[in-house]
Amino acid sequence: MGDRPVVQGISIVDFHLHFRMPQDPLTRALSGGQFACEAATPAAARRAAKVAGMSAAWRRSWDFADPEPLEADQGWEAEADRWLEELDHHHVEYAAFVTAGGDAAMGRLTARGQGRFLGLAAMTDPFAPGAAEDFDRAVTEQGLRGLKLFAPLMSARIDDPGADPVWRVAAKHRVPVLIHFGHCGSAGGIAHNAMIEPAWLETVAKRHPDVTFVIPHFGIQHVQQVLFLMWACPNVLVDTSGSNQWVRFMAQKLTLEDVFRRFYETHGPERIIFGTDSSWFPRGYARRYLADQLRICWEMGMPPVDVQKIFGANAAALLDITCWSPADPDLARALDILDDGARKNGILEKERTA
């Protein structure tokens, strides 16, 4: 609309992408069989071959090409420019990268993104010495707009108060914290450990009500935990990112439409954030995830304003995209009216309880 990109009339803000995933030690450690790696022993080599075969079978089922070999890499600048081309080609307005090989690298990436890239800080362990200070510098010096964590990599459970300084940084800067719970990586990754369950986030979210916590991929195998967690903690949201193939491994029959419907009906469109988990080339931007999720929402009968919240408005608010509104003027007016109503209701509620 006008000179702004839209998909099916919706302005798209993708909340969850990874930059240079094969070169990033943090994400490479979780990749399982997605990327080739050297094996130290014959037994390890056999295991690596098996899990690589499982990942290859998954790519084949989705009609995705194999990741480009590392020797084909042309540097981060070239890859950043490829991502800009991908956003143009697929009519995506903004992309938030959640990992990029370190906070300094993320800062360089967002600077090169012509205003369309947003970045989150990332760390292995919020309990590590200096974690809060590193996060604070990432926000104040690199301009990053949140924090990405993988719960299975942490040295302590998420509810340990030792990470409170990190959450206080998020509250101070009013930026979201994206925490991956559930299994990690492609085939051969981490299936379970003592840190992996989202239920442990409840005491943290209640202790830090000014922090917005986002759980990606609908919480993966812990759907019921996340639904109850969101009931208990209004500052917990979910994102929709990835293929969500985890539904195939659930004991009960479950589809992505079932998951969308359950979260939408129980917690509303304001607490669901669209993402693709796009990462490697030549796949590039995972357009089919966007198309599938839009189809699900339309077929559920969602009104366009709710679709716009999920696929753009919620992320734009969390990431503080300056003066953002949908390209569709009708949706922009609808969201403004809803926001004004919420503000008025909030004022009235305060007056009633004063």
Side-chain angles (χ1 to χ4, degrees):
M1 296 181 179
D3 60 350
R4 290 179 59 186
V6 294
V7 178
Q8 300 175 16
I10 302 297
S11 298
I12 305 298
V13 181
D14 192 325
F15 186 72
H16 195 138
L17 298 86
H18 294 271
F19 184 66
R20 289 177 71 74
M21 193 171 178
Q23 292 87 0
D24 181 359
L26 176 61
T27 52
R28 190 177 174 87
L30 296 166
S31 64
Q34 186 173 1
F35 305 110
C37 58
E38 295 182 2
T41 67
R46 288 192 295 271
R47 176 190 178 279
K50 288 179 180 179
V51 297
M54 294 166 67
S55 288
W58 169 77
R59 291 193 295 271
R60 183 172 62 248
S61 69
W62 284 83
D63 194 30
F64 291 149
D66 292 342
E68 293 172 348
L70 290 176
E71 55 266 25
D73 177 49
Q74 297 182 0
W76 77 267
E77 295 97 334
E79 186 161 332
D81 295 343
R82 289 177 80 176
W83 278 115
L84 276 174
E85 293 170 2
E86 287 288 293
L87 298 190
D88 288 339
H89 180 68
H90 295 288
H91 310 291
V92 175
E93 190 164 30
Y94 293 97
F97 289 88
V98 301
T99 61
D103 296 342
M106 183 68 83
R108 292 191 293 269
L109 170 65
T110 57
R112 194 175 179 88
Q114 301 178 18
R116 297 174 68 189
F117 293 169
L118 304 117
L120 273 63
M123 64 178 66
T124 302
D125 189 9
F127 300 97
E133 292 78 9
D134 290 344
F135 180 25
D136 190 74
R137 282 192 295 271
V139 176
T140 58
E141 298 178 11
Q142 303 294 343
L144 305 189
R145 307 200 184 195
L147 177 65
K148 166 68 172 181
L149 296 164
F150 294 93
L153 298 182
M154 295 180 185
S155 62
R157 217 169 64 181
I158 192 72
D159 57 346
D160 188 314
D164 279 358
V166 172
W167 318 138
R168 286 195 286 268
V169 172
K172 179 177 72 171
H173 295 296
R174 303 180 67 84
V175 296
V177 177
L178 178 66
I179 309 178
H180 181 117
F181 294 96
H183 86 259
C184 287
S186 59
I190 300 171
H192 191 268
N193 66 21
M195 318 303 173
I196 211 165
E197 297 189 18
W200 306 123
L201 182 61
E202 180 176 349
T203 56
V204 181
K206 288 180 174 178
R207 200 160 64 238
H208 299 275
D210 293 335
V211 179
T212 298
F213 294 95
V214 183
I215 299 176
H217 323 303
F218 290 110
I220 313 182
Q221 68 261 45
H222 302 292
V223 175
Q224 188 163 12
Q225 284 191 20
V226 176
L227 286 165
F228 277 108
L229 175 63
M230 292 173 70
W231 170 81
C233 305
N235 54 327
V236 174
L237 287 66
V238 292
D239 89 19
T240 70
S241 60
S243 67
N244 288 294
Q245 64 162 323
W246 56 265
V247 297
R248 298 192 299 119
F249 299 95
M250 300 296 285
Q252 72 276 24
K253 183 175 175 56
L254 191 66
T255 68
L256 183 57
E257 181 177 353
D258 296 329
V259 177
F260 255 101
R261 186 176 297 277
R262 185 58 57 86
F263 278 91
Y264 179 72
E265 291 178 349
T266 55
H267 296 300
E270 296 82 7
R271 298 175 71 183
I272 305 172
I273 307 170
F274 164 72
T276 58
D277 210 19
S278 297
S279 53
W280 41 269
F281 285 98
R283 180 184 70 172
Y285 191 76
R287 172 62 179 247
R288 69 177 301 168
Y289 298 166
L290 169 60
D292 284 350
Q293 293 184 28
L294 279 168
R295 173 187 55 77
I296 286 170
C297 292
W298 294 129
E299 290 182 351
M300 284 175 56
M302 286 189 195
V305 68
D306 285 357
V307 176
Q308 182 61 86
K309 287 177 183 178
I310 293 170
F311 289 85
N314 296 338
L318 274 182
L319 298 168
D320 193 25
I321 302 176
T322 305
C323 301
W324 183 92
S325 66
D328 183 331
D330 290 337
L331 291 178
R333 281 192 292 271
L335 287 172
D336 282 343
I337 291 169
L338 291 171
D339 287 345
D340 287 343
R343 284 193 289 270
K344 290 175 182 176
N345 288 337
I347 292 170
L348 290 173
E349 182 64 27
K350 288 179 180 178
E351 290 175 349
R352 283 195 295 267
T353 57

